[in-house]
Amino acid sequence: MNENTTEKLLEVKDLRISAYNDEKQEIPIVKGVTFDIYKGQVVALIGESGSGKTTISLASLSYTKPGLEFTGGQVLLNGEDMLTAPPLRKREIRGANAAYLAQSAAATFNPAITIGEQVTESAVLHGILSQEEANKRAVELYYALELPDPDRIGFRYPHQVSGGQLQRLMAAMALCGKPDLMVLDEPTTALDVTTQIEVLKAFKKVIHEENSAAIYVTHDLAVVAQIADYIVVLYSGEIMEQGTAEQIINNPTHAYTRRLMEAVRPKPAAGLGTAVGAEHTRDIPALAVKEMTAGYGGIINGEPAVTILRDINVAVDNAHVVGVIGESGCGKSTLARVMAGLLPPARGDVELEGVKLAGGLQERKLSELQKVQFVFQMADTALNPKQLIGNIIGRPLEFYHGLRGKEKHAKVSEILKMVELPPEFANRYPMELSGGQKQRINLARSLAANPEVMLCDEVTSALDSIVGANVIKLLTALRDKTGVSFVFISHDLSTVASFADEIVVLYAGRVVEQGPADEVLEPPFHPYTRLLISSVPELRIGWLEDTMQKREMAVGIAKSVEIKATGCPFYNRCPLGIDGTCEQKTPPIRTLENGHQITCHLTVDQLTEAEQHTQKILHGFEKLEDKSLNAGA
Amino acid sequence: MTNSNEQNGVAGEDVVDEIDKFAELPDVPPKRKLKLSWVGRIASGIVIFWLVIAAVGPWVAPFHEMDMDGDDSFLDAHTNEYGTFYLGTDYLGRDTFSRVIWGARMTIGISLAATLLAYALGITLGIAAAVKGGWVDMIISRMNDAILALPSIMLGLIAIAAFGSSIPILIIIAGIIYGSSVFRIARALGLDIMVQDYVEAAKARGEGIWWIIRSEVLPNAAMPLATDFGLRLVFVVLFISSLSFLGLGVQPPAADWGSMVRENLAGLTYNSWASVWPAFAIATFTISINLIVDDISAKSGGSLAKKMV
Amino acid sequence: MMLQMVLRRIAIGIATILVVSVIVFVMTRLLPGDVAQIILGQGATPETLAVLRKELGLDQPGYIQYFIWLGDLFTGDLGISKAGGATISSLIGGRFGNTMLLAGLVALISIPISIVLGLWAAMHPGSWLDRIITFGTLSTISVPEFFIATIMVLIFAVELHWLPSTAMLADNMSFLELLRGLAMPIITLVIVVSAQMIRMTRAGILNVMSSPYIEMAILKGVPRGRIILRHAFLNAIGPIINVIALNLAYLVSGVVVVETIFAYPGLAKLMIDGVQTRDLPLVQACAMIFCTTYVLLILVADIGSIVSNPRLRHPK
């Protein structure tokens, strides 16, 4: 916020937007929303999918998605009503007065036009800048957004730069014409945590420097806390609560806001996982992977053409939850696919209750298949749209356990109950269910097999925070009740921390750290685990600034993942790397108490010492510039 | 989820009320009922009309297709001692009206038979190639590419030059030529479905290949294939009619729309419409099918394009 | 990488032509039974049959016959026609030129018309002109070529007496006379070919129009014309090149019917006559010319869409 705050930029008054279905019936989407934005202010619209947050934000550009119509109210930008603006005036406003940043930059950049032309297009078309001025301003913005090779990146095509870079380039595209208002629609949701923090930092910086006002649309309260001055909480097209960021974050009054806050999982820390009932413990692990290497393409001498995972050892104890965490592309889904037999490993073994399993599906016995069940990430694609729920859940019962007719029917109802859905759902098609309900059916199908181990691949990632939190509750209850083990794969460390007994941290196809959750989430950390933990946004104003002070953040996030056969894969991002050692030799496994393992060239003592330094920086005892931290060198 | 929480204590008790109050918003179910516009409804009426005529034509036509009771060739509509000639007579003095009705059976019948053959071949091989993959797919696909690399009329001409022309040969030729397009579509659909997570889930469960084809692949491929059937039928009608028009399809004296146009072409210069009526019959049938297909296919892109200013 | 793909595509094209030659050969020489009997008819004496069999090499195994035939094809020796014993190359010579003249004129007229109308319709979806274009083209592609031809004759020759009802082609015609003489076949083919091209151009653009980057362009305030011509057209150009080439290839079958109906002295008419009289060597030669042209056009289309893809032109 700054000195301009008294001047209103955007006034939304009793805004109403509706959709019309095939029968021409009106379905209200936005039901009378009123709020203001002052100059230089960042206002967050927060809510779950279906809350109308994107629809409201687009109204400031006088735009509705196809199929929607404005049905009432006013949206005044600089005092001019956007809803009644004539078509040509709309065109003048878009890009010049208000600019839009979409969720997926990869889809919103035109693949056939250079980045530079797309960034400058709007400013030049609206006559705000000449082509030369626009090019110059674009390069300035590239510098400000800390993009690599800022002088030449404009000559590239969108497919030639990374996703995180495109997201920042889209900010340059929006800012080039110096708009009064920016609309940011979930701009960091699709990114990995370590990339998200970098993009957030860049956005915050340019918004401040340009003194632009912004609407920030998101479902993530923790992100909102870092960037917004004012928060509007939406549910089903209505405002539940609005107020300053401090007010909403620290002192929410509305029940729905509190529900949202509860669904935000706490900062990953020890002691969050749930204890396992003693009655389920056994000697042999339910499922184990030993010295396993896997990948795609032809296998020569145990080396696949493209190696995804290398030398993996993971054991899943009975009635335990093993969380597998890592960024996109680290091989965590591949691990689950190898366990399920969907991808035979190139080398190494998969063992079920101490018995070696065949690599491929065809060679595995039916009873073995039944004991290891895979739950897919997207319920939308994992459930056949042409089958009734009853048949989807009934099939494993019939297939593995030979149940038919009434018996099967009764069991289907029982399983639906276990996943907290009414038995009538058996007669519905997947299309008729909400996202969370579909995910429950997805779990129920695996549950119907009566498995020993369930492999859950990002099962909460596509769900809204409240719904996702409920699914986690359900999984915990199922584990306690049935004694089934879970392999829970996620890119979200806080979800894993709140649920897992054991944690496996994967980086570029290798296990960098694993052990009991309480040990992994406590120092000493592997440097990558440290980076992940400090990248998870906290529901606290000022967290972003604090985190950027940390040395390992500044180093770690700037580089991208490289997959290598030798040396430590994390070396190029590691703040503690030892030149001449880390990039050449494969790091040793350091074993601590309780089976906690860290794969690093640094000794446990060195890692502990480094962590103490980090804590000092965090608490303001030392400055970022301090070079004495290089513990290993 | 309303009545779920009291059934067991799995979800935390403290959140029950608030979950219900702010329940997850259900996805809007896509209500895509098969609803035709008025154009589509008229078109369906025309298609059904022709199908009925094809089925019962010989019993309702006033004359036999080969009767030469019209006194003279290329006459306008008139009545003589044998009956009324609503659309006049053709070049041999036969009743054009009756021949158009008889022709429906021949043209539509051959085309339907050929299209069904094309579908039987195309779907069987297409799904087999998609599901089996590997060398099976390789061999069938390459052979199919070779057929597709030739213009269909050329293949037809070569085949007729080699084997002569008869109704079974016409059906087989058209069935193979258009079967190759069906193969391509069925294979693409099959491949698309085979990589879906629900098929992967069935494989992980240990399901056999037949169960996967029957329960997962076919139900999901049925609707797109049904839509394509209409388009394919139109192509086959045009193909058979064109061959007949060239004198290489259905042989006289049998009444067939394509050959009727050819036979009576000379009449055009005498202002006789004997060649126009069968051409008109083909046009109403094929245009109507295409209009129906157009009506039920999802229209893409237009909605966003309308937002341009 | 792009060069590799183009070379690969050319190799596939050559392979396809060879496969096509095998199909044509097998279907016209091996499958029909005794080709000499078919060519000479029932009245042939055993002596003449024997002579012809030897001449055609029918006493040799099939694959050797194929290679001899293929070799002859490459050296321009297309064999001897059954009708009057003239060499096939002499029969084809002038007629090939006539067909290319007709096809060339049709392409010259229909391509610009199609792209302009297709783009216009995509730019104004739902407008009355778009509806007319959509319905008109749908109807045109739904009916046989001879229907269009019949209607054209009815209107322009029978009712209005503006144009001759058959094609006229003579050596000493002026260009205008030529155009008038060819008007009927040209109009018919332009209508048939353009309808398909307009539809597919419109569909190609509208397909791209549902992309998020088009919505982004709208939200950036980019005007309609620029959205279509720069943002959409650049991405649809690959498919559009394909459509054009495919429809030029489609002229192959259009030409067959149109040449017959207007008694145009082209290659297709020659081939139809050959099929009717079961003059198999003539059919073989004509089929090879048509199929090779077709495969080449499709090859050009494929290369066009490879070259127009920015991901391939500007690799990472």
Side-chain angles (χ1 to χ4, degrees):
Chain A
M1 285 214 243
N2 56 58
E3 68 279 2
N4 287 332
T5 42
T6 46
E7 214 178 318
K8 274 184 192 176
L9 177 69
L10 186 81
E11 296 169 71
V12 178
K13 293 182 181 169
D14 192 32
L15 176 65
R16 289 168 190 278
I17 300 172
S18 293
Y20 291 87
N21 65 9
D22 288 350
E23 281 81 34
K24 306 273 180 253
Q25 285 163 322
E26 184 180 343
I27 303 159
I29 302 292
V30 176
K31 305 158 186 168
V33 163
T34 304
F35 65 95
D36 296 328
I37 297 179
Y38 293 88
K39 288 198 171 157
Q41 193 184 32
V42 177
V43 173
L45 300 184
I46 182 155
E48 295 174 279
S49 54
S51 62
K53 54 190 191 298
T54 297
T55 308
I56 295 168
S57 71
L58 283 170
S60 62
L61 284 94
S62 188
Y63 183 82
T64 54
K65 296 258 179 193
L68 299 179
E69 276 173 37
F70 295 118
T71 47
Q74 284 183 310
V75 176
L76 305 176
L77 181 65
N78 291 321
E80 182 186 358
D81 190 359
M82 291 296 99
L83 306 192
T84 54
L88 282 180
R89 180 65 193 141
K90 287 183 187 177
R91 202 168 80 199
E92 287 169 15
I93 292 159
R94 293 173 187 166
N97 298 90
Y100 180 71
L101 262 96
Q103 176 168 0
S104 164
T108 35
F109 267 96
N110 191 322
I113 303 178
T114 58
I115 290 167
E117 183 182 339
Q118 297 190 61
V119 167
T120 56
E121 182 178 30
S122 185
V124 176
L125 280 176
H126 289 104
I128 300 165
L129 299 171
S130 70
Q131 186 65 55
E132 290 74 43
E133 289 166 344
N135 291 344
K136 207 167 141 261
R137 173 157 167 83
V139 173
E140 285 165 17
L141 286 167
Y142 301 152
Y143 273 103
L145 289 160
E146 291 168 19
L147 284 155
D149 199 7
D151 293 311
R152 278 182 298 161
I153 198 168
F155 298 110
R156 298 177 147 218
Y157 283 84
H159 67 270
Q160 294 172 313
V161 302
S162 77
Q165 289 167 5
L166 267 187
Q167 213 68 35
R168 280 177 284 161
L169 284 164
M170 196 158 58
M173 182 157 85
L175 285 164
C176 193
K178 300 177 182 165
D180 305 319
L181 177 71
M182 283 212 294
V183 176
L184 299 95
D185 189 359
E186 307 243 17
T188 64
T189 304
L191 304 173
D192 275 322
V193 274
T194 56
T195 317
Q196 165 171 297
I197 191 170
E198 189 185 6
V199 172
L200 263 184
K201 187 193 74 175
F203 282 179
K204 187 156 188 177
K205 184 176 159 212
V206 289
I207 288 173
H208 181 75
E209 285 174 4
E210 299 283 328
N211 191 20
S212 168
I215 297 179
Y216 197 101
V217 175
T218 183
H219 68 275
D220 190 342
L221 263 178
V223 167
V224 164
Q226 309 317 318
I227 204 156
D229 303 313
Y230 192 84
I231 295 176
V232 178
V233 182
L234 292 157
Y235 176 81
S236 186
E238 287 173 280
I239 293 181
M240 298 289 108
E241 181 174 13
Q242 56 177 313
T244 62
E246 290 85 21
Q247 205 179 320
I248 301 282
I249 300 282
N250 299 330
N251 208 358
T253 55
H254 195 278
Y256 180 68
T257 317
R258 287 207 299 271
R259 284 285 310 139
L260 276 177
M261 307 275 280
E262 279 169 36
V264 176
R265 275 173 287 279
K267 175 178 160 54
L272 294 170
T274 43
V276 194
E279 72 274 18
H280 294 305
T281 44
R282 275 175 226 164
D283 292 340
I284 337 160
L287 189 71
V289 166
K290 291 187 175 163
E291 293 299 329
M292 185 268 289
T293 293
Y296 297 93
I299 296 164
I300 300 163
N301 295 333
E303 280 293 319
V306 183
T307 305
I308 305 290
L309 291 170
R310 202 178 282 281
D311 306 326
I312 306 289
N313 284 296
V314 172
V316 184
D317 281 330
N318 204 30
H320 274 63
V321 177
V322 173
V324 179
I325 178 93
E327 290 170 303
S328 52
C330 73
K332 53 191 191 298
S333 290
T334 307
L335 178 58
R337 293 174 64 83
V338 171
M339 287 173 167
L342 287 166
L343 179 75
R347 245 188 293 136
D349 295 329
V350 181
E351 288 179 6
L352 178 70
E353 293 165 332
V355 181
K356 184 178 179 303
L357 287 180
L361 283 173
Q362 284 79 20
E363 296 92 50
R364 289 193 184 179
K365 290 198 213 84
L366 204 59
S367 61
E368 293 168 346
L369 293 172
Q370 171 246 319
K371 284 179 181 166
V372 182
Q373 289 290 313
F374 193 96
V375 185
F376 287 84
Q377 173 178 5
M378 305 291 287
D380 276 320
T381 56
L383 304 178
N384 186 338
K386 303 283 176 192
Q387 281 179 5
L388 286 171
I389 302 299
N391 294 338
I392 291 174
I393 301 176
R395 180 61 192 173
L397 295 172
E398 187 183 303
F399 187 70
Y400 292 127
H401 307 295
L403 296 188
R404 301 207 184 268
K406 268 199 181 136
E407 234 182 336
K408 181 170 96 177
H409 189 75
K411 189 78 187 169
V412 167
S413 300
E414 190 185 313
I415 289 166
L416 278 171
K417 239 185 229 175
M418 280 174 81
V419 296
E420 301 163 16
L421 293 174
E424 303 87 81
F425 272 37
N427 295 318
R428 294 202 191 174
Y429 285 98
M431 294 277 209
E432 298 168 65
L433 270 52
S434 72
Q437 290 167 342
K438 271 183 267 194
Q439 196 57 277
R440 281 162 194 263
I441 299 297
N442 196 14
L443 288 166
R445 174 173 56 189
S446 300
L447 215 52
N450 193 22
E452 293 292 320
V453 183
M454 278 169 79
L455 310 169
C456 299
D457 186 9
E458 301 264 17
V459 288
T460 59
S461 304
L463 302 175
D464 280 324
S465 47
I466 294 179
V467 183
N470 287 339
V471 169
I472 295 289
K473 278 200 190 98
L474 171 69
L475 290 176
T476 315
L478 288 174
R479 194 265 317 260
D480 294 345
K481 218 176 187 178
T482 60
V484 65
S485 314
F486 285 94
V487 174
F488 188 84
I489 290 165
S490 180
H491 68 278
D492 181 1
L493 186 55
S494 24
T495 305
V496 170
S498 66
F499 177 44
D501 309 307
E502 312 246 342
I503 292 181
V504 176
V505 183
L506 277 180
Y507 185 82
R510 289 177 199 258
V511 175
V512 294
E513 181 166 2
Q514 66 172 318
D518 292 353
E519 306 280 341
V520 172
L521 296 171
E522 282 285 320
F525 296 116
H526 185 279
Y528 176 63
T529 315
R530 183 77 199 110
L531 172 65
L532 272 182
I533 291 176
S534 43
S535 299
V536 177
E538 284 172 42
L539 189 48
R540 172 166 72 85
I541 292 164
W543 167 82
L544 183 63
E545 287 72 13
D546 292 350
T547 305
M548 293 324 291
Q549 294 291 316
K550 271 182 269 174
R551 193 176 173 286
E552 73 266 36
M553 293 304 306
V555 178
I557 57 179
K559 304 211 179 94
S560 55
V561 181
E562 280 176 39
I563 296 176
K564 288 178 187 158
T566 54
C568 174
F570 190 57
Y571 169 68
N572 70 337
R573 294 171 78 183
C574 185
L576 308 173
I578 311 163
D579 290 336
T581 304
C582 289
E583 77 270 37
Q584 282 164 10
K585 287 187 214 145
T586 302
I589 297 173
R590 316 238 176 232
T591 307
L592 294 81
E593 67 269 35
N594 295 332
H596 182 200
Q597 295 178 334
I598 297 178
T599 311
C600 190
H601 283 294
L602 295 178
T603 62
V604 174
D605 290 342
Q606 285 171 317
L607 288 170
T608 313
E609 195 190 331
E611 178 61 23
Q612 283 163 0
H613 281 288
T614 306
Q615 288 301 327
K616 280 185 197 161
I617 298 169
L618 262 182
H619 296 102
F621 297 134
E622 282 178 45
K623 284 270 155 30
L624 178 62
E625 294 77 33
D626 192 340
K627 302 252 186 221
S628 68
L629 303 180
N630 213 338
Chain B
M1 262 198 274
T2 17
N3 59 348
S4 58
N5 289 301
E6 65 258 33
Q7 287 166 352
N8 50 55
V10 170
E13 242 78 328
D14 53 329
V15 296
V16 169
D17 291 340
E18 289 177 31
I19 286 180
D20 286 352
K21 195 164 160 199
F22 303 107
E24 184 194 2
L25 302 162
D27 296 3
V28 182
K31 279 187 191 162
R32 274 201 64 86
K33 278 176 276 174
L34 202 64
K35 219 178 139 192
L36 293 174
S37 66
W38 60 272
V39 177
R41 269 177 261 164
I42 293 172
S44 323
I46 295 172
V47 171
I48 291 167
F49 167 78
W50 279 123
L51 291 176
V52 171
I53 292 291
V56 302
W59 292 277
V60 297
F63 297 94
H64 189 270
E65 59 177 330
M66 296 170 196
D67 280 350
M68 287 183 246
D69 301 325
D71 311 331
D72 210 346
S73 54
F74 296 138
L75 288 177
D76 286 344
H78 68 285
T79 306
N80 70 5
E81 66 221 74
Y82 301 105
T84 305
F85 299 81
Y86 297 101
L87 301 176
T89 58
D90 73 353
Y91 77 116
L92 291 177
R94 294 171 296 193
D95 179 32
T96 305
F97 180 68
S98 299
R99 281 180 64 80
V100 168
I101 290 176
W102 278 83
R105 154 162 298 203
M106 192 60 86
T107 304
I108 296 176
I110 292 178
S111 306
L112 263 182
T115 313
L116 287 173
L117 176 66
Y119 262 75
L121 285 173
I123 292 182
T124 314
L125 294 175
I127 300 283
V131 172
K132 275 276 168 198
W135 61 269
V136 177
D137 181 23
M138 181 75 187
I139 290 175
I140 309 179
S141 291
R142 289 294 83 76
M143 277 165 55
N144 195 62
D145 284 352
I147 297 179
L148 282 174
L150 294 165
S152 51
I153 195 98
M154 275 302 134
L155 260 180
L157 291 179
I158 298 169
I160 288 168
F163 308 115
S165 183
S166 69
I167 289 174
I169 285 184
L170 280 178
I171 292 177
I172 292 170
I173 293 172
I176 291 175
I177 293 173
Y178 289 94
S180 68
S181 328
V182 179
F183 168 84
R184 206 167 55 165
I185 294 161
R187 178 176 171 273
L189 274 171
L191 284 179
D192 200 42
I193 296 168
M194 284 305 286
V195 298
Q196 293 289 318
D197 286 346
Y198 54 80
V199 174
E200 191 103 79
K203 283 188 195 161
R205 191 159 62 230
E207 297 283 2
I209 202 72
W210 288 111
W211 192 87
I212 290 179
I213 292 177
R214 203 182 65 235
S215 306
E216 312 278 358
V217 179
L218 287 181
N220 285 290
M223 195 53 205
L225 283 174
T227 314
D228 180 73
F229 188 89
L231 292 177
R232 219 47 60 193
L233 180 60
V234 169
F235 284 130
V236 175
V237 169
L238 298 185
F239 176 75
I240 301 277
S241 309
S242 291
L243 283 180
S244 294
F245 176 80
L246 294 171
L248 303 170
V250 179
Q251 298 301 313
D256 160 272
W257 290 344
S259 41
M260 285 169 70
V261 179
R262 170 198 176 82
E263 292 160 0
N264 299 308
L265 210 50
L268 272 185
T269 40
Y270 314 114
N271 236 330
S272 158
W273 280 44
S275 68
V276 177
W277 294 118
F280 194 64
I282 298 175
T284 52
F285 184 62
T286 50
I287 292 176
S288 299
I289 292 179
N290 267 339
L291 283 176
I292 299 170
V293 172
D294 222 37
D295 215 32
I296 57 178
S297 322
K299 291 167 186 70
S300 70
S303 55
L304 195 53
K306 280 178 198 148
K307 293 278 174 185
M308 288 188 295
V309 280
Chain C
M1 177 149 92
M2 194 172 83
L3 187 69
Q4 263 176 12
M5 287 185 71
V6 170
L7 288 178
R8 200 181 119 82
R9 201 58 203 79
I10 291 174
I12 292 176
I14 292 169
T16 312
I17 291 176
L18 283 176
V19 173
V20 165
S21 73
V22 173
I23 295 179
V24 169
F25 180 80
V26 169
M27 286 182 71
T28 52
R29 185 72 75 87
L30 297 185
L31 288 183
D34 190 347
V35 173
Q37 183 81 57
I38 292 174
I39 292 179
L40 294 176
Q42 291 303 322
T45 61
E47 292 77 37
T48 50
L49 277 175
V51 171
L52 184 63
R53 278 197 198 111
K54 193 153 181 80
E55 200 178 308
L56 292 174
L58 292 178
D59 43 358
Q60 312 234 23
Y63 67 96
I64 292 184
Q65 291 184 44
Y66 170 72
F67 284 114
I68 293 173
W69 175 74
L70 196 66
D72 287 347
L73 215 57
F74 271 112
T75 51
D77 176 8
L78 301 174
I80 292 169
S81 167
K82 162 193 168 186
T87 62
I88 292 175
S89 357
S90 68
L91 284 176
I92 286 176
R95 286 178 169 247
F96 183 67
N98 289 348
T99 294
M100 290 312 279
L101 173 72
L102 182 61
L105 285 171
V106 170
L108 216 60
I109 298 168
S110 60
I111 292 175
I113 290 181
S114 308
I115 292 185
V116 169
L117 283 181
L119 286 178
W120 200 92
M123 227 185 274
H124 303 89
S127 67
W128 61 271
L129 194 56
D130 175 49
R131 281 163 202 248
I132 291 175
I133 290 175
T134 312
F135 182 80
T137 53
L138 179 86
S139 306
T140 309
I141 61 156
S142 308
V143 299
E145 294 90 353
F146 62 78
F147 178 81
I148 309 273
T150 313
I151 300 292
M152 289 301 122
V153 170
L154 200 62
I155 296 172
F156 292 110
V158 177
E159 297 294 329
L160 299 173
H161 299 287
W162 286 357
L163 294 169
S165 63
T166 54
M168 288 189 229
L169 195 59
D171 288 339
N172 53 356
M173 286 168 101
S174 72
F175 185 67
L176 276 181
E177 282 172 327
L178 183 78
L179 272 191
R180 193 178 135 78
L182 297 184
M184 284 301 236
I186 289 180
I187 291 173
T188 307
L189 279 176
V190 165
I191 290 176
V192 170
V193 175
S194 304
Q196 190 70 6
M197 279 202 265
I198 292 170
R199 267 181 86 74
M200 290 170 81
T201 305
R202 178 182 181 275
I205 294 277
L206 281 187
N207 190 23
V208 171
M209 286 300 291
S210 59
S211 314
Y213 55 76
I214 296 296
E215 185 167 49
M216 190 68 213
I218 295 171
L219 288 169
K220 277 160 77 178
V222 179
R224 181 190 292 267
R226 190 175 155 87
I227 289 179
I228 296 285
L229 295 178
R230 184 116 188 102
H231 288 260
F233 190 67
L234 268 186
N235 285 287
I237 198 152
I240 289 176
I241 291 175
N242 246 306
V243 168
I244 292 172
L246 272 175
N247 281 280
L248 292 184
Y250 178 77
L251 266 176
V252 169
S253 48
V255 145
V256 172
V257 172
V258 168
E259 285 190 2
T260 312
I261 205 166
F262 294 110
Y264 182 83
L267 195 60
K269 180 86 177 65
L270 185 69
M271 180 168 174
I272 300 292
D273 294 343
V275 174
Q276 273 160 350
T277 54
R278 304 197 79 179
D279 187 346
L280 291 175
L282 182 62
V283 172
Q284 277 171 354
C286 294
M288 277 312 293
I289 293 174
F290 275 121
C291 293
T292 308
T293 318
Y294 184 80
V295 172
L296 287 179
L297 277 168
I298 295 197
L299 180 63
V300 169
D302 279 352
I303 292 175
S305 48
I306 291 173
V307 173
S308 68
N309 184 340
R311 279 170 195 276
L312 295 174
R313 251 183 313 137
H314 308 276
K316 278 203 173 187

